[in-house]
Amino acid sequence: MFSLLVLISLFTFAKAAVPRATDCVGTISSLSDVSAAVQCTTVNINSFTVPARQTFRLDLLQGTTVNVLGEILFGNTSWKGPLFQVTGQDIEFKGNGHSFDGGGGYYWDGLGGKGSTKPCPMMRIDMSGTFSDVHVINCPERCFAINNPAPLVINGAVVDNSQGDYPNDKSNGRPAGHNTDGFDVSGNDVVIRNSAVLNQDDCLAINKGKNILFQNNYCHGGHGVSIGSISSNTVVENVSILDNKVVNSVTAFRIKTDKTATNSRVSNVTYSDNTATNCSSYGVLIDQSYPATEGTPGNGVIISDISFNQGATELSVVQDAQMAAVNCGKDSCTGTWDWSSLKTSGGKIGKIQNTPTIIGYTTNPY
Ligand SMILES: *[C@@H]1O[C@H](CO)[C@@H](O)[C@H](O)[C@H]1NC(C)=O
Ligand SMILES: *[C@@H]1O[C@H](CO)[C@@H](O)[C@H](O)[C@H]1NC(C)=O
Ligand SMILES: *[C@@H]1O[C@H](CO)[C@@H](O)[C@H](O)[C@H]1NC(C)=O
Ligand SMILES: *[C@@H]1O[C@H](CO)[C@@H](O)[C@H](O)[C@H]1NC(C)=O
């Protein structure tokens, strides 16, 4: 009896004295280290190559800090991906400027999703917390897909797919990279700031979500900052696009909704203090005829309260491009559209139809 009591008290003492088992540092230097490392709330990632046809998947404990300490490569093979996936709540993910290299040159054929099977998306971000200073290079197809369970801040990310601007031996003279979206967002309470995207498709594409802030980012060479395409039963609300630079892109700012979509809305989108230069097709394009461009619009998506009304947004487009075009369906564009801080120059006056009165925008080049 005595010894049993001693044993019990020793056991209780031991339990109280040791730190929580998760207060450890897990280290990942190969995929086989992952399952043990994610039992710890600090996870260090060294440089390694993820074997082809496997996802580097981190399913983290709440409150984990991740430190990336070296470059991550992925084996090349045609498969559907994703290459990387992180899940967890209140995560602090620190990239420290290290890169995740998707090996795009192996896959690119100028056809994106219509060509050979490519790992897509490359980086699936299903966490909340902060995700900072990660460089992603050479995405085979789409780069970041964001579907966060609670508030997420992405800071200092770089997506560099600029090598995909050039043709390769599979792309028939076209740019080899295609459908290489920078950030695809489907989540609420997302901030993306101080980031850069050099690519061949949307810099940002908001597919659904509320309370989204895109601030102080640089977009080069792609399709610009987009909302959509919006399909049925989808809400996008309260989006702020602030202090961004969009350079050499097809369009600077676009909202596109599917012609056949129903029961959806896009509301409260504010653009302030942005600049865009050398847009090749449009400065601003709001179009309800997707997949056509300026085709016959549908009206099953309500677009309301689209503003360029705080700090000046200045757009310049090439000579044959349109500065701003809006193709709304009957009665589906509503609310207050105050564009008094939008200045456009360089190209043609676009067609604007079925909108409420647009306040303050003069189509004359300044
Ligand atoms: C995959 O191929 C690309 C393009 O050739 C190359 O840059 C990358 O290093 C390759 N990845 C690995 C792990 O070998
Ligand atoms: C709109 O989103 C911003 C983040 O950009 C947030 O701070 C603000 O509270 C949101 N407004 C409403 C009414 O939810
Ligand atoms: C949308 O904008 C209107 C008008 O500016 C404002 O009254 C409303 O609070 C906003 N709602 C959200 C959810 O941001
Ligand atoms: C304008 O953008 C196009 C790509 O759309 C690019 O080829 C061209 O070099 C750019 N011009 C300048 C002056 O940067």
Side-chain angles (χ1 to χ4, degrees):
M1 191 56 188
F2 175 73
S3 60
L4 184 63
L5 276 175
V6 167
L7 263 179
I8 288 172
S9 55
L10 267 178
F11 181 68
T12 311
F13 177 74
K15 239 178 109 179
V18 292
R20 270 193 313 143
T22 58
D23 285 352
C24 47
V25 178
T27 300
I28 298 174
S29 304
S30 78
L31 221 46
S32 58
D33 297 331
V34 171
S35 58
V38 298
Q39 305 304 315
C40 297
T41 52
T42 301
V43 174
N44 291 341
I45 304 176
N46 293 323
S47 179
F48 76 104
T49 299
V50 179
R53 217 179 285 282
Q54 295 191 56
T55 300
F56 178 12
R57 184 168 197 277
L58 290 174
D59 193 355
L60 300 166
L61 296 171
Q62 180 157 12
T64 295
T65 298
V66 176
N67 302 300
V68 182
L69 303 175
E71 321 309 318
I72 307 300
L73 287 141
F74 296 87
N76 292 320
T77 195
S78 176
W79 72 296
K80 67 179 177 42
L83 296 183
F84 176 77
Q85 177 169 24
V86 56
T87 58
Q89 299 265 8
D90 307 322
I91 306 304
E92 187 167 359
F93 194 105
K94 298 179 179 174
N96 299 312
H98 290 292
S99 60
F100 287 62
D101 181 347
Y106 173 86
Y107 302 91
W108 293 331
D109 53 12
L111 297 169
K114 295 207 167 95
S116 64
T117 301
K118 302 173 181 70
C120 179
M122 176 168 161
M123 308 288 286
R124 195 175 271 291
I125 309 301
D126 298 342
M127 52 164 262
S128 64
T130 60
F131 184 95
S132 48
D133 305 316
V134 170
H135 292 196
V136 172
I137 58 178
N138 302 330
C139 312
E141 198 182 323
R142 291 184 279 119
C143 295
F144 280 104
I146 295 161
N147 191 343
N148 52 309
L152 170 68
V153 175
I154 294 194
N155 187 41
V158 175
V159 169
D160 185 355
N161 256 27
S162 51
Q163 284 185 44
D165 288 344
Y166 305 98
N168 67 8
D169 57 5
K170 290 179 279 190
S171 74
N172 240 320
R174 289 181 294 260
H178 196 69
N179 297 141
T180 50
D181 298 17
F183 298 102
D184 287 331
V185 174
S186 299
N188 301 329
D189 305 306
V190 178
V191 175
I192 299 174
R193 54 162 60 115
N194 309 327
S195 296
V197 175
L198 297 87
N199 70 342
Q200 297 79 32
D201 205 303
D202 294 327
C203 178
L204 168 73
I206 299 173
N207 298 310
K208 65 172 187 216
K210 299 181 181 177
N211 310 333
I212 295 167
L213 171 60
F214 190 69
Q215 183 170 30
N216 196 35
N217 302 295
Y218 176 80
C219 301
H220 181 276
H223 296 176
V225 174
S226 300
I227 294 174
S229 66
I230 300 297
S231 52
S232 294
N233 309 312
T234 298
V235 173
V236 172
E237 178 182 273
N238 187 25
V239 175
S240 297
I241 308 292
L242 309 180
D243 307 317
N244 302 288
K245 278 195 170 53
V246 181
V247 177
N248 298 0
S249 300
V250 175
T251 299
F253 302 109
R254 179 167 60 152
I255 300 174
K256 53 179 178 170
T257 70
D258 293 357
K259 173 186 158 82
T260 56
T262 56
N263 192 37
S264 296
R265 67 186 170 86
V266 175
S267 56
N268 287 50
V269 182
T270 302
Y271 301 87
S272 315
D273 290 304
N274 303 287
T275 57
T277 52
N278 192 31
C279 303
S280 62
S281 293
Y282 295 92
V284 175
L285 175 62
I286 298 175
D287 193 349
Q288 298 211 284
S289 69
Y290 190 77
T293 299
E294 294 198 82
T296 305
N299 64 356
V301 181
I302 302 299
I303 299 182
S304 64
D305 301 293
I306 307 301
S307 310
F308 291 86
N309 65 345
Q310 294 167 31
T313 285
E314 302 197 0
L315 308 177
S316 67
V317 305
V318 303
Q319 199 179 352
D320 293 332
Q322 298 183 40
M323 296 182 290
V326 186
N327 181 34
C328 287
K330 190 172 181 311
D331 301 327
S332 48
C333 288
T334 66
T336 305
W337 292 37
D338 180 348
W339 291 19
S340 47
S341 297
L342 175 63
K343 294 182 173 153
T344 57
S345 64
K348 296 187 293 197
I349 294 168
K351 182 170 160 191
I352 294 185
Q353 65 164 4
N354 290 330
T355 64
T357 302
I358 293 181
I359 300 163
Y361 174 59
T362 160
T363 49
N364 296 324
Y366 65 92

